[in-house]
Amino acid sequence: MSMMLRGLMGACAMTALAAPAMAETLTIATVNNGDMIRMQKMTKPFTDANPDIQLEWVTLEENVLRQRVTTDIATKGGQYDIVTVGNYEVPIWAKQGWLTPLEDMGADYDAEDILPPIREGLSLDGKLYAAPFYGESAMIMYRTDLMEKAGLEMPERPTWEFVYDAARKMTDKTNEVYGICLRGKAGWGENMAFLTSMGASYGAPWFDMEWKPQFSGEAWKKALTDYVAIMTEAGPPGASSNGFNENLALFQTGKCGMWIDATVAASFVSNPKESTVADKVGYALAPEGEKPQMWLWAWTLAVPSSTDAPDAAKKFVAWATSKAYTEQVAAAEGWANVPPGTRTSLYENPEYQKAAPFAKPTLDSIMSADLKNPTTVEVPYIGTQWVGIPEFQALGTAVGQQFSAALAGQASVDQALQMAQQIAEREMAKAGYPK
């Protein structure tokens, strides 16, 4: 071997040794909700501390996110290193072996600080499989000025009858003020999140103990009839296209008297930088029917078992769901705007209690939610605004399309319920229920 060749090889070897390690790129699939958008703008402390990790974001509308993530994780496609999923998916996917257990999250992570109902919903056999970025239940957000103008006073936990009466009295369509805004956009996590929870409070379950669909019952007929009627009388036009984000925009621009939805919205409707009615918002627990309307959800960060960067992914998840991240948001945006509903320590924090008038109803709502007993009758499933079976994603969306059509006036309530019953019977038989 010539001296020149030896010298060249030696130079190449030295260059290889001197070259920095290749950075790992984490592809993160997330939803286009406000808290998640904010997180993307606040990752500098993480990337500064971890220069060997790069972040690539895929931000999607809720329904699209669910479809793409479910397809990728079920096929072990490996497209995403971190996925944003809810407490519906986590126990089902963990049981399938599709998620990596979140162990070794660091000495200061303090998983025991996560609110018990949230932590339990994200665990299987005592292991945590997803970390909550924020947690939520449901509440009523309402315009205090319009309620006073209507001559009414909001109870701490009103009945549906009070809500309907107030919605009618607060409506002023001439000035584009609508007494009530509720989800109408079809989707198992959009209109059916609201309607499943509302139906349960009317005593209307999805299935009986034999897994027979219950949409032909009187309870569902009353719930859906009331929903369509009040939205027709006191809701905004085009409501069948409105989901969480659309109703948030309506409320923030002064077009809603009341909005019954996720507690996480409270910080956005009360933020004067984003809401024209920030100083006129009151909060109450979700309505009571035969049972209080219950809701328990957490948008979480999970690590698919198909990722080739599990350690880096867990490192990011631990940072994004830590107490330190909460403090970072508080320093930049104020305590009222930190991700809510995840940690006991947040609700014990005097600064948060002072800054967030919605803190107590949020905590009360989360702690009162009962995944195992969502309605007035015994049911074979867990879930408050969802049903904890793998088939629910497709089934919930299909039923949601029928109910959205009823809201849009394209079908009657009876027709929508009849179609929902037929779809549910067919799909449950195809899936082999009862199992």
Side-chain angles (χ1 to χ4, degrees), residues 198-273:
M198 177 185 179
S201 77
Y202 272 65
W206 268 72
F207 305 103
D208 67 12
M209 289 300 291
E210 302 299 318
W211 290 102
K212 294 177 181 174
Q214 297 297 294
F215 295 109
S216 58
E218 285 303 310
W220 264 114
K221 182 171 182 178
K222 180 167 174 48
L224 191 61
T225 298
D226 286 352
Y227 166 79
V228 171
I230 197 61
M231 289 297 286
T232 302
E233 292 178 51
S240 61
S241 298
N242 292 345
F244 175 87
N245 285 327
E246 290 81 7
N247 283 326
L248 171 60
L250 286 169
F251 196 98
Q252 288 177 321
T253 54
K255 296 183 185 300
C256 297
M258 287 180 290
W259 180 28
I260 305 171
D261 212 297
T263 53
V264 72
S267 68
F268 298 116
V269 299
S270 62
N271 186 343
K273 295 179 183 177

Side-chain angles (χ1 to χ4, degrees), residues 119-132:
R119 188 174 69 247
E120 290 163 14
L122 303 176
S123 300
L124 181 69
D125 299 329
K127 291 183 180 180
L128 192 69
Y129 278 85

Side-chain angles (χ1 to χ4, degrees), residues 329-341:
V329 176
E333 304 283 347
W335 277 103
N337 296 306
V338 303

